[in-house]
Amino acid sequence: MTDDEIRKFINDLRDKQKFDEAYIGFFQFGGGSEESFIKANRQGLEMHAAELLEAAVTKYNDKSKSYGLDEGIQDIEGDFSFQYVDLKEGKRGEIKPSPDYKETWTDKVFLIGCIAVILIFLSIGVIGLITIAKWIL
């Protein structure tokens, strides 16, 4: 489909009556995200689909861009909600699910500081125990 055909389809999906009747909620059954589900009526699915299609036809200059989902029909009692779509260019094998983390100098300094604080507390504890042992004996 062309972008114009998709936009026409989006306009057909969006309508005031559908918005008033639309319901969609994202829930988690049990302990983990592998047991998540969507509870929705047809109008809610159509409105949500229109938002996702709108994100698909939006043009961006970057390789990655966020598109907000502002349909106003998500259940506030849901376990979680989706606020935006993170659009990526490329094929499935080229897109990484999460960016590689690069350690910065502040991360290294923080680690060294934590180790130093632990060593200081340990040495103070040993000195305290030695002092108490000398006092008792």
Side-chain angles (χ1 to χ4, degrees):
M1 292 180 88
T2 66
D3 287 354
D4 291 333
E5 291 172 332
I6 293 173
R7 283 193 179 89
K8 183 183 179 316
F9 186 62
I10 291 168
N11 290 333
D12 291 342
L13 286 175
R14 289 181 176 153
D15 121 0
K16 181 65 177 158
Q17 182 181 0
K18 284 183 187 176
F19 183 80
D20 292 339
E21 298 172 1
Y23 171 83
I24 190 165
F26 304 97
F27 298 91
Q28 183 171 317
F29 178 79
S33 61
E34 68 276 357
E35 297 178 3
S36 300
F37 65 97
I38 296 173
K39 187 187 296 185
N41 61 9
R42 180 181 175 132
Q43 294 84 355
L45 289 174
E46 288 178 0
M47 296 296 290
H48 195 66
E51 287 292 316
L52 293 174
L53 287 171
E54 181 76 29
V57 296
T58 303
K59 299 292 184 205
Y60 298 105
N61 298 329
D62 303 350
K63 289 239 180 222
S64 175
K65 190 68 178 178
S66 294
Y67 176 82
L69 295 176
D70 187 28
E71 58 210 21
I73 61 171
Q74 292 187 27
D75 187 349
I76 59 172
E77 297 294 322
D79 294 328
F80 55 92
S81 62
F82 298 103
Q83 284 79 31
Y84 66 94
V85 175
D86 189 17
L87 299 170
K88 303 283 187 184
E89 276 189 18
K91 296 182 176 143
R92 184 187 326 191
E94 299 168 352
I95 300 173
K96 296 182 181 179
S98 59
D100 295 332
Y101 180 74
K102 295 180 183 175
E103 189 175 38
T104 63
W105 68 271
T106 55
D107 296 330
K108 294 176 185 174
V109 168
F110 183 75
L111 177 63
I112 292 169
C114 288
I115 292 171
V117 167
I118 291 170
L119 289 175
I120 288 170
F121 281 130
L122 285 175
S123 62
I124 289 172
V126 169
I127 292 170
L129 288 174
I130 292 171
T131 306
I132 290 172
K134 285 182 183 179
W135 181 68
I136 293 175
L137 300 173

